[in-house]
Amino acid sequence: MTRAQIETQSALYTLLGANERLLQSTGFKVLRTRNVVEQVAAVSKRWYEFRRRREDLLEQLEGEEQYIGLRKFVCVVYTLSSEGQPFHCLSLR
C-alpha cells in the first residue's frame, strides 16, 4: 500500500461500528448498516474514466493541485473498493 493510499484510506475508514456508536451517542438511531463496496467501485471507476477523458479541461478549471488531488483520491477509492475493502452506508432515524 502506498503512502497516498494510506492517507486516503485513513480519511475514508473508521473502525467497524465506530460511526454507529458515535451517532447513537448523539441520539440517532441506526436502523441498518450495509456494505456498499460494489457500488463505490462502480461509481469511482466511472468518475475516474470521465476525469481522464476530460483531463485538460478539468485541470484548467480546477487548477493543477486540485486536479491531481482529486485524481489520486478517486484512484485510491477505486483501488481499495475493487479489492473488496468494505465501505459502509448507514440508515438513520
Side-chain angles (χ1 to χ4, degrees), residues 1-11 72 76 80:
M1 186 175 281
T2 68
R3 179 184 176 108
Q5 287 175 314
I6 292 170
E7 289 172 354
T8 302
Q9 186 175 14
S10 67
K72 287 178 182 178
V76 171
L80 294 172

Side-chain angles (χ1 to χ4, degrees), residues 16-88:
L16 189 59
N19 287 335
E20 292 87 337
R21 286 189 298 277
L22 180 61
L23 288 164
Q24 287 173 341
S25 73
T26 61
F28 286 97
K29 181 177 180 181
V30 177
L31 301 176
R32 111 185 130 186
T33 302
R34 60 189 175 106
N35 188 345
V36 292
V37 68
E38 291 176 12
Q39 294 90 336
V40 170
V43 170
S44 60
K45 180 180 181 184
R46 287 193 308 266
W47 196 18
Y48 178 79
E49 290 170 351
F50 169 81
R51 292 184 65 78
R52 188 180 64 214
R53 286 192 311 269
R54 304 283 195 259
E55 180 176 6
D56 292 338
L57 177 61
L58 291 170
E59 189 172 350
Q60 181 182 5
L61 291 171
E62 297 172 351
E64 183 180 9
E65 186 177 337
Q66 179 72 16
Y67 175 78
I68 290 171
L70 280 171
R71 182 180 65 198
K72 287 178 182 178
F73 176 80
V74 171
C75 186
V76 171
V77 169
Y78 174 69
T79 300
L80 294 172
S81 60
S82 65
E83 292 172 350
Q85 296 291 330
F87 284 78
H88 290 93

